[in-house]
Amino acid sequence: MFDLLLKNVRREDGVLQEVAIQDGRFVAIAPKVEGEARETFDGQGMTLMPPFYNGHSHAAMVLLRGYADDLPLFPWLQEHIWPVEARMTPQDVAAGVRLAILEMIKSGTVYFNDSYFFLPETIQAVEELGVRATIGLFYLDLGNAPARERLHRQNQKVLQEWRRGHSSRVTLALDPHSIYTVPESVLRETGAQGQAEGLPIHMHLAETEKEFQDCQREHGGMTPFQYADACGLLTEHSYLAHCVWMTEEDRRLAAERGCVLVANTTSNLKLCSGIFDFPAAEQAGCRIALGTDGCASNNAHSMFSEMKCAALAGKCRTLDPTACPAEKVFSWATSSGRYFVEDAGEIAPGKVADAMLLNLDQPYLVGDYHLRSNLVYAGESSCVDSLLCDGKFIMRHRQVPGEEEILAEARRVCDKFRKR
C-alpha cells in the first residue's frame, strides 16, 4: 500500500497523471497508478514541479529584515549586524528560524543550507516544520576568546548528538565563516577534518573585491580560491557562497575540485559586491546553485525573486540577452538540489518525494506559452498551492500548521531589537 497517491495532477506539458509515494520517494508516475494508498490527494487543476533548494542562507537573520539597509558590506556587518547579533538569545534564533522556514515553505522551498549560531534551536525548528536542511558547525573569530570557545563547545556537542542519531532530513557541514574571519590554522584543520570525516564544507568565499585584494596581499599573491585550496577547503563536497571575485584560473580550479558555487545575486547586487559570472562558471564546467543569503541583505527568502534576479544580472553582466536562459536558471534553483540532498531535484520514480503543486490560474502566469520561463521571469510565491517534503505535506492549500503562532512570536522578538 502506498503512503500517498496524488490524483489529477498535471505534468508541465499539461498531461494528467497520478503519482504514488512510498517511504519518502516517488515510486510510480503514470496516467493511472494501480494500488491502494493510505492517503489520497486530489490535485485537480494543479501542476507538479520540483521544488526549490536554497544553497546558502542565514535563516535567523530574517529577524533583521530591513534593520540596516542601503549600506556597504563591511560597515553593514561591523557597525550594525554583528552588534545586534551579539544580543540574540537561543530563543530569539529559534523564533527567527521558524519564521524563515515558514517564508520558504510559502514560496516553494523544501531545503536550505544554513550558516548561523545556536544550532540545536535551528535543528529543532527544521524537524518541527518538516523541511530539509544542512546546518553548519559555525566558526567565526572576531577576537573574542570566550565566544570562540563557546562556538567550539557547541559544535562538538551538536556533532556528537547528531552522530548518535538524527533525522534523514538534517545533515551537518563544517562552516568556517570566511578566510578573513577564521585563522589559517583553523581553516587547515577544517579542511583536514572534512576529508577525514566526510563532512561537507560551507563557507563564504571571494565575495568582495576587498577580500580578493587583501588575500593577495596577505598570502603571497594567492586569490581567495587558491588560498582556500591550499587550506584543503575545495572538494566535491564544498558549498561556496558568493564567488563573485574569481579569475579564469579560479573557475578551472573550482571545476577540477568539483565545488558547488552558490550564487546569491540579490544580496550581492544590494551590497554592490559584484555579480557572479554565470556564463564563465558554466563554461569552465563548475557546478552552480542559487541561494538567497540572509534577509538582512536580501530581504526575502523567495527563490522566485532570486531566479529572476540571477537571470537578469547574468545577462546584464555579459551584455548578452541569451545568457542565463530561463530553463537553465530554473535548473540552478531546483535540479541543483542533488548537490545537497541525494536523489533530489527531479520528479521521477526512485527520487526523493519533494515537490511543489502549483496553481497556474494566476494573472501573472497568462500567457502560458512556456511555464518555466514564466516562473523565472514572472513567478510569485502565491502560485505555490501545496508543498511536499520527504513524501509528506508541509503546506496544503497555502496553510502551514502553526503559522499564526510563528508570526506572533517573531514580531515579539523583533520588537526587542527595534531601534528606539
Side-chain angles (χ1 to χ4, degrees), residues 147-317:
R148 259 198 323 268
E149 183 57 30
R150 282 197 302 273
L151 279 176
H152 177 71
R153 288 197 305 269
Q154 174 188 262
N155 288 343
Q156 292 304 111
K157 181 179 180 182
V158 169
L159 183 57
Q160 290 168 5
E161 291 179 351
W162 181 77
R163 283 174 174 156
R164 284 197 291 267
H166 57 88
S167 163
S168 62
R169 291 182 287 102
V170 176
T171 56
L172 297 184
L174 302 174
D175 187 13
H177 175 267
S178 66
I179 62 171
Y180 58 88
T181 55
V182 177
E184 182 172 336
S185 60
V186 177
L187 293 176
R188 291 184 179 275
E189 289 170 8
T190 300
Q193 183 181 359
Q195 183 174 2
E197 301 182 20
L199 289 170
I201 293 169
H202 177 205
M203 66 183 297
H204 303 79
L205 191 63
E207 182 176 0
T208 67
E209 184 178 20
K210 174 176 167 52
E211 176 189 344
F212 188 92
Q213 293 175 344
D214 287 351
C215 183
Q216 288 192 308
R217 184 179 63 255
E218 296 167 10
H219 299 288
M222 286 192 289
T223 68
F225 264 80
Q226 291 168 336
Y227 176 56
D229 189 52
C231 293
L233 297 168
L234 303 192
T235 76
E236 62 180 321
H237 303 297
S238 297
Y239 310 137
L240 308 175
H242 301 293
C243 307
V244 172
W245 292 88
M246 298 178 69
T247 65
E248 187 175 341
E249 178 57 35
D250 288 338
R251 284 184 279 269
R252 284 197 295 266
L253 180 61
E256 288 171 6
R257 298 290 187 263
C259 310
V260 179
L261 308 185
V262 184
N264 300 265
T265 312
T266 305
S267 174
N268 293 151
L269 286 174
K270 186 183 175 204
L271 293 169
C272 293
S273 301
I275 301 173
F276 179 86
D277 195 332
F278 291 99
E282 189 175 25
Q283 185 175 4
C286 298
R287 300 196 291 172
I288 300 171
L290 301 184
T292 60
D293 208 0
C295 274
S297 58
N298 182 317
N299 296 66
H301 282 123
S302 171
M303 292 291 280
F304 283 102
S305 59
E306 201 60 41
M307 287 193 298
K308 182 172 184 176
C309 199
L312 299 184
K315 295 175 191 299
C316 191
R317 177 183 174 122

Side-chain angles (χ1 to χ4, degrees), residues 16-36:
L16 284 172
Q17 60 185 355
E18 294 186 351
V19 179
I21 295 169
Q22 179 68 35
D23 297 327
R25 291 186 178 260
F26 298 113
V27 293
I29 302 175
K32 178 66 177 178
V33 173
E34 298 298 331
E36 299 296 318

Side-chain angles (χ1 to χ4, degrees), residues 106-140:
K106 290 277 193 174
S107 54
T109 294
V110 298
Y111 164 91
F112 64 104
N113 184 25
D114 204 54
S115 173
Y116 214 63
F117 312 97
F118 301 121
L119 311 189
E121 288 72 23
T122 301
I123 292 171
Q124 183 177 350
V126 170
E127 297 283 28
E128 288 176 1
L129 288 164
V131 295
R132 303 183 188 275
T134 298
I135 309 300
L137 298 168
F138 187 65
Y139 189 91
L140 174 72

